[in-house]
Structure formats: C-alpha cells, structure tokens
Amino acid sequence: MQLPNSMRALQYKNFRLYFGGQAISLIGTWMQRIAVSWLVYTLTHSSFMLGLVAFAGQIPTMLLSPYAGAYVDRHSRYKTLLITQIASMVQAGILAALVITGTHTVITIIILSIMLGIINAFDTPARQSFMILMVEKKADLPNAIALNSSMVTLARLAGPAVAGILLSSFGEGVCFFMNFLSFIAVIVSLLLMKLKTPPAKTIDEPIWQNLKEGYEYLQNSKGIRSAILLMALISFFVMPYNTLFPVYAQQIFKGNVTTFSWLNSIAGLGALMGAIYVATLRPDKDFLKIITLANLLISSCIILFSYMQNFWLALAIIMLGESGLLALIASTNTYIQTNVAENMRGRVISYYVMAFMGMQPLGSLLVGYLAHKTSAPFTLLIEGIAGIISVTAFVPAFKKAGMGKVVHPTLEKYLPKNPFK
C-alpha cells in the first residue's frame, strides 16, 4: 500500500511503533497536565500558585538541558529514552497513589513536578535526536518530525477532552492513574524496535567540553542560533498564556471544569491544524519565514483573546492562535534538525530544549505573579505585545541567515554522510 506523501515516514516500522506507543502515552500525559492545573487551582484559587507549580515542573529543564544534551550525544539515545519513560511512569504512579488516598498537598505536587522536570530534561533531547534512528532516509526526517507534532497535538486534543469527563465524574486521581497505565504502550513499543545504530564512539573529553563545543557550533550557525533565541523569547513571553486557563474558565467565563476542558481541547484542535500544515510542507520550504509569520499569528491572537468576553468567539481565537504556535514549534524543530550536523545533534537540540521548555517556567512564574497583582486579561495583553516585539526584532537576523536555505553553506562542511542510508 502506497502511503500519501504527507505520511511517508510511517513506512518505517520503528517509527510506526514509536508513533503508536507515544500517541497513547501522550494522551495520558495531557490528562495529567490538565488534572494538575485544575487540582492546584481548586486547592488554592491562586494565579500565583498556578505559575509556581508550572515553574517547578519546568525549571529543571532549563538548568539541566545543556548537560542532558551532551549526555545524550555520549550515550545510547534508545536506552536513555527507555529509562526516562519508565521513570515518568513511576512519577505518575506516585502522584496517582497520593491523590487517590487523599494524602496529597500542594507541596507534594510541587516536589513531584520537579521530579518530572528532571526526567523531561533528559527525555526530550533523547526523544528528539532519536528520530533520526527511526527514519532511514534523511529526506523523510522533516515529515517524521511533522507527523510527530501531529501525534502530539492529537493527544493534546483528546487528552483534555477525556480529562474533562474523568475530572467531573471521578476526580483527579483517576486521571493520574490512567497516565500511569498509558506508559505501558510506549515502553512496549520501544522494546519491540529493531534499530540500526552506528557504533558508539569513545569520548574522553569532559562533558562540559562538549557543551562548549555545542555553544561554539551555534556561534557559527546564525540561522539556528537566531531560531533558538527567538524560541527562548516566545517561550518566556507567549507560551505560558495557557497557565491562566483555569482562571479564565472560572472567573472570566464563569464556568467549571468542562469550560476548562473546552479551552484546552480547542487549543489542541488548533495545534493539530498547524501540525497538519507543517506535515504537508516540502523539505526545501522557507521555514524561517514560516517561523516569523507563525509568531505574529499566535501573538496577535493572544491580544485578541485577552479581554474577550464571548466564550465561543474566544475558542475560535484560541484555535487559530494555537495553529500558529504549533506551526512555529514544528518549523523551528524542522529547521534545526535539517541544518544541524549529526555529531552535534544532541548538544544543539539540548539548547533548543532549554529555549523551548526551559524558559517557560520563568515565564509561567512571571505570568502567575503579574496576573495575581493585576488581572489575567491585562497579563495576556502584555504577553501578546511582547511576542510581536520579539519576532519583529529577529526579522533582520533571519534575512541575514538566508531565508529559504535548507542547509547553509557555512554548515555543509560539518555535515557527515548519513550512516543510516
């Protein structure tokens, strides 16, 4: 059976296994994220505490990502990923047990969030750089990344919807337990894979020397460096806007957990639209231009959403904005993955992860504090304006990097032949 061009990466058995296992696991992950936010806001009714818990769950990523990326370059990506998935399963099991038995507190939630953040600091660069091992032809790598983004956003659509039903009927503990069970799928899929991996290289240099090399590599790659720096700003100013969804659900739209679930599910639908768009793009597409336009779209939609009183119109705006946000994330990821030298992949991706996930905790903390001191709508208005200013400032840098080029001439000498062909 001939697969459509937009799904060509699924021709590889290992990627199909990964795709199926992750799809199930990520639905559970999103259920847990929704349940944690709702549980914290129900316990505290504090915007600041929402920001603090988000900060606790993501700050380890910012601190550990560079080290984790260098670690991934020196060790088996497969084994690292398997270990992090098992560890995530244990974390979900502990959280489920505490909530079901009623022995949880905000402090225990924060501690477990930190634990998950440490796991994710190693899991994300391992998972991102693992993609090349499952796709034999490098030309199909952008499609694999886009399909992976589509799978993540499908889970983001389904997870909150299921969580909304379970939260209103059974409570948060069941959501956490379902996430615990969902990790079985991804662990089994990893165990069933048969991978052709290049021989491991013995590296005698200190790991911090590898980090320095990654930094120096980025200094010589203006396009990748600019994309990562812009992602850091957007992660800080724009992406934490959904931290305030519980506040909007209860205070602005006068709703309940179902309202909260709608906000997250419609955001997932918009993200799916963005993922499908990126999946249809050719490998030689001008990704820097897409990054710029997608940034403008999500920032503008946040401004429109900030003081919106009509719930259904607000949902439409969020859906449109999230399509831009996902297009931004997937395009940035694709641009980096298709331009980075293979021997630098883990280290460069770790800097990307630090920008993408590491800056969000600082932004979440700031958003929670600002919303606590002022209001949620004013905070989102400031976020949107800051996003537009950030992307506008990077347009000259993108032009200098050479919009439209897939591999910059200055980097070609660093690119080794693909060992998987």
Side-chain angles (χ1 to χ4, degrees):
M1 179 180 176
Q2 184 68 32
L3 290 171
N5 187 55
S6 61
M7 302 179 68
R8 59 189 180 275
L10 290 174
Q11 66 183 294
Y12 306 106
K13 181 181 177 181
N14 290 327
F15 184 74
R16 289 199 303 272
L17 285 168
Y18 175 85
F19 189 91
Q22 279 287 338
I24 296 172
S25 178
L26 285 172
I27 290 175
T29 298
W30 273 102
M31 290 169 61
Q32 175 164 311
R33 288 183 184 180
I34 298 305
V36 166
S37 293
W38 190 255
L39 178 60
V40 169
Y41 195 65
T42 301
L43 289 173
T44 65
H45 296 285
S46 169
S47 301
F48 176 72
M49 289 306 299
L50 282 172
L52 181 61
V53 171
F55 172 83
Q58 296 171 330
I59 191 63
T61 303
M62 185 183 74
L63 299 177
L64 296 175
S65 281
Y67 177 86
Y71 176 91
V72 167
D73 275 342
R74 298 161 70 106
H75 297 81
S76 169
R77 301 167 190 174
Y78 172 79
K79 291 181 180 178
T80 302
L81 187 59
L82 185 60
I83 291 171
T84 58
Q85 292 300 302
I86 294 172
S88 296
M89 184 179 185
V90 171
Q91 188 270 355
I94 295 173
L95 183 57
L98 290 175
V99 174
I100 290 173
T101 58
T103 55
H104 65 285
T105 64
V106 174
I107 298 299
T108 57
I109 293 173
I110 290 175
I111 292 173
L112 286 170
S113 295
I114 294 173
M115 174 182 171
L116 184 59
I118 294 172
I119 296 168
N120 286 338
F122 290 85
D123 178 81
T124 304
R127 186 154 29 88
Q128 295 288 351
S129 57
F130 186 63
M131 204 73 65
I132 191 70
L133 299 181
M134 297 181 289
V135 180
E136 295 173 12
K137 295 181 180 178
K138 190 173 182 180
D140 292 329
L141 181 60
N143 181 249
I145 295 169
L147 285 175
N148 182 66
S149 297
S150 300
M151 174 257 291
V152 171
T153 51
L154 274 172
R156 186 178 175 183
L157 175 61
V162 176
I165 297 172
L166 293 179
L167 282 171
S168 59
S169 302
F170 304 104
E172 296 87 357
V174 174
C175 291
F176 301 141
F177 182 68
M178 294 298 291
N179 183 41
F180 167 77
L181 294 178
S182 73
F183 282 102
I184 296 175
V186 69
I187 292 171
V188 170
S189 72
L190 288 171
L191 293 174
L192 290 175
M193 287 183 183
K194 295 180 180 179
L195 297 167
K196 296 179 181 178
T197 57
K201 295 181 180 179
T202 303
I203 302 176
D204 297 324
E205 297 174 340
I207 198 166
W208 294 109
Q209 178 64 29
N210 294 156
L211 294 178
K212 181 182 177 182
E213 290 172 357
Y215 176 79
E216 292 174 348
Y217 178 84
L218 285 176
Q219 291 298 104
N220 294 319
S221 173
K222 294 180 181 179
I224 296 178
R225 186 183 69 222
S226 297
I228 290 177
L229 288 175
L230 178 58
M231 178 59 73
L233 290 175
I234 297 302
S235 296
F236 180 76
F237 289 120
V238 176
M239 290 185 187
Y241 86 99
N242 56 12
T243 302
L244 300 179
F245 273 3
V247 181
Y248 268 81
Q250 286 195 16
Q251 295 185 11
I252 306 300
F253 300 123
K254 309 300 180 185
N256 51 25
V257 68
T258 302
T259 311
F260 178 55
S261 176
W262 265 102
L263 286 169
N264 284 280
S265 292
I266 207 68
L269 178 59
L272 177 61
M273 293 165 53
I276 292 173
Y277 166 71
V278 176
T280 62
L281 297 177
R282 301 187 309 273
D284 60 346
K285 194 68 176 177
D286 189 345
F287 286 103
L288 289 178
K289 184 176 181 180
I290 295 172
I291 290 169
T292 302
L293 296 176
N295 268 299
L296 290 172
L297 179 59
I298 177 59
S299 299
S300 299
C301 285
I302 289 177
I303 291 174
L304 293 174
F305 175 79
S306 61
Y307 281 92
M308 184 61 60
Q309 296 293 318
N310 184 293
F311 178 63
W312 300 108
L313 185 56
L315 289 180
I317 293 171
I318 285 299
M319 182 172 65
L320 181 62
E322 283 287 337
S323 67
L325 181 57
L326 197 285
L328 156 67
I329 295 170
S331 296
T332 304
N333 193 357
T334 301
Y335 179 79
I336 293 171
Q337 295 258 24
T338 52
N339 280 271
V340 68
E342 175 60 30
N343 63 315
M344 303 297 294
R345 186 174 298 275
R347 277 164 280 190
V348 171
I349 288 176
S350 71
Y351 281 103
Y352 165 70
V353 171
M354 184 169 63
F356 174 39
M357 298 180 65
M359 294 302 291
Q360 287 188 56
L362 300 177
S364 296
L365 192 62
L366 177 63
V367 163
Y369 177 78
L370 187 58
H372 179 71
K373 289 295 184 180
T374 57
S375 69
F378 178 76
T379 301
L380 261 61
L381 176 64
I382 295 301
E383 286 187 82
I385 293 173
I388 290 177
I389 293 173
S390 297
V391 67
T392 302
F394 270 86
V395 170
F398 283 167
K399 287 183 177 180
K400 283 186 178 181
M403 284 186 170
K405 293 180 181 178
V406 177
V407 179
H408 296 287
T410 55
L411 297 180
E412 288 179 351
K413 63 182 179 180
Y414 294 104
L415 292 173
K417 293 182 179 180
N418 186 1
F420 310 106
K421 286 186 177 180

